[in-house]
Amino acid sequence: TGDDDLRRDAIETFEAIRHGASGVTQRVCIKRILPAFERDEEFLRLFLEEARVSASLHHGAIAQVLDFGVVSGSHYLALELVEGLDLRTVISRLAESNDRLTTGVVAHLAFELAGALEFAHAATDRGRARGVVHRDISPSNVLLSRHGEVKLTDFGIAKAMSADVATRTAVVKGKLPYMAPEYASAGQFNAQSDLFSLGVTLYECVAGRRPFDGANDLETLENLQRGRHRPLPEAVPGVDAAFAAAVERLIEADPAVRYVTATQFLDDLTAITPPGTAQLILGRVVSALQDHRAGEGASLRDALANTELR
């Protein structure tokens, strides 16, 4: 949406070196608010909220905030540097060669991202907080490293969950095609809304297209509210039946039918065993796509031939 694009335009990103004790150094990602937006109190509040929320989430599949603060009037976040590509770029570049990630590799993504959400939704602050919802799960917020690591990032519009927060109407932000119907239409959100967005992301990874896309935003919103889409088994004939059923339940328009927790989704995923080399394959895909775009190595099709995508 415009709000989301505006927010991204207000932040610049750098690669930097963090200096620690005894001469220890670490390459990090720095997110800094542009000077023109330092005077925007609401934007600054959201930025600091991202820092506070993200810094409290310590999980292997969540991009870690290492530090945050203000230097010479400029607010910044220091995050772990993930050397690779975001999932949006991977999906788009694979489409250029008429390729998609295999169901096995996507199942690996599903385990990692659902695990991150299970942790975030249940995370506690000395037993007082009920956790946080992300509110903007989409491929552009999933980082993939050249080693096949999966990192969920950008908790900038995340909110602490409580009885009132989970049901109140809020300003809708994020990306419409990935929004749960109750969020897109009324701004109501909870953990199930994140799970819906995860389902759309996984569907797109396997099918190469999003399930509810319409000719325009109004049609997309209507598709979301009605649950109108092509079932995954029809979109991808031969897809693993258990995986397809789990994804279809994630993207149910009716929250009463959808998974209530990430734990429930993970329980159903146990019937699916990603290949033991899934992380290795994913890393090879990321490396092949990144090196090809940089003009290095073999052609994209030849490079992908070694990733077991075919």
Side-chain angles (χ1 to χ4, degrees), residues 108-121:
H108 169 67
L109 283 171
F111 273 107
E112 293 293 299
L113 294 173
L117 289 179
E118 178 186 48
F119 176 83
H121 292 165

Side-chain angles (χ1 to χ4, degrees), residues 200-211:
V200 175
T201 297
L202 297 176
Y203 184 110
E204 182 179 6
C205 285
V206 175
R209 63 180 300 274
R210 295 181 293 238

Side-chain angles (χ1 to χ4, degrees), residues 16 26 40 52 139 189 211 247 270 277:
Q26 178 184 19
D40 187 328
R52 185 191 68 78
F189 62 90
V247 171
T270 57
T277 56

Side-chain angles (χ1 to χ4, degrees), residues 278-296:
Q279 181 171 333
L280 177 64
I281 295 169
L282 184 58
R284 287 176 176 171
V285 169
V286 171
S287 296
L289 294 174
Q290 196 170 36
D291 292 345
H292 172 74
R293 188 52 59 97
E296 302 172 5

Side-chain angles (χ1 to χ4, degrees), residues 65-149:
V65 170
L66 305 172
D67 192 14
F68 61 93
V70 57
V71 175
S72 301
S74 180
H75 289 80
Y76 72 91
L77 291 178
L79 303 98
E80 65 173 307
L81 182 67
V82 180
E83 297 189 60
L85 301 169
D86 62 64
L87 181 57
R88 161 62 53 226
T89 301
V90 169
I91 293 172
S92 299
R93 292 187 186 175
L94 286 176
E96 293 174 8
S97 61
N98 197 31
D99 271 308
R100 295 192 296 269
L101 295 171
T102 62
T103 303
V105 173
V106 178
H108 169 67
L109 283 171
F111 273 107
E112 293 293 299
L113 294 173
L117 289 179
E118 178 186 48
F119 176 83
H121 292 165
T124 60
D125 177 12
R126 298 181 182 177
R128 289 194 293 268
R130 290 180 56 198
V132 296
V133 288
H134 187 284
R135 296 208 308 170
D136 194 17
I137 304 294
S138 68
S140 60
N141 285 333
V142 177
L143 304 181
L144 308 174
S145 82
R146 294 173 66 94
H147 301 292
E149 299 163 296

Side-chain angles (χ1 to χ4, degrees), residues 170-253:
V171 176
V172 174
K173 298 182 179 180
K175 304 170 184 68
L176 180 61
Y178 301 93
M179 287 183 188
E182 66 275 10
Y183 186 15
S185 61
Q188 297 175 339
F189 62 90
N190 57 22
Q192 284 185 293
S193 307
D194 275 351
L195 295 177
F196 182 93
S197 302
L198 173 62
V200 175
T201 297
L202 297 176
Y203 184 110
E204 182 179 6
C205 285
V206 175
R209 63 180 300 274
R210 295 181 293 238
F212 302 104
D213 277 4
N216 50 53
D217 284 351
L218 185 60
E219 185 176 329
T220 297
L221 180 58
E222 184 177 346
N223 290 341
L224 286 167
Q225 293 172 329
R226 295 173 178 264
R228 188 167 56 204
H229 72 286
R230 190 178 184 188
L232 189 54
E234 293 181 15
V236 186
V239 68
D240 181 271
F243 180 79
V247 171
E248 286 293 320
R249 186 175 173 189
L250 280 175
I251 60 176
E252 280 284 350

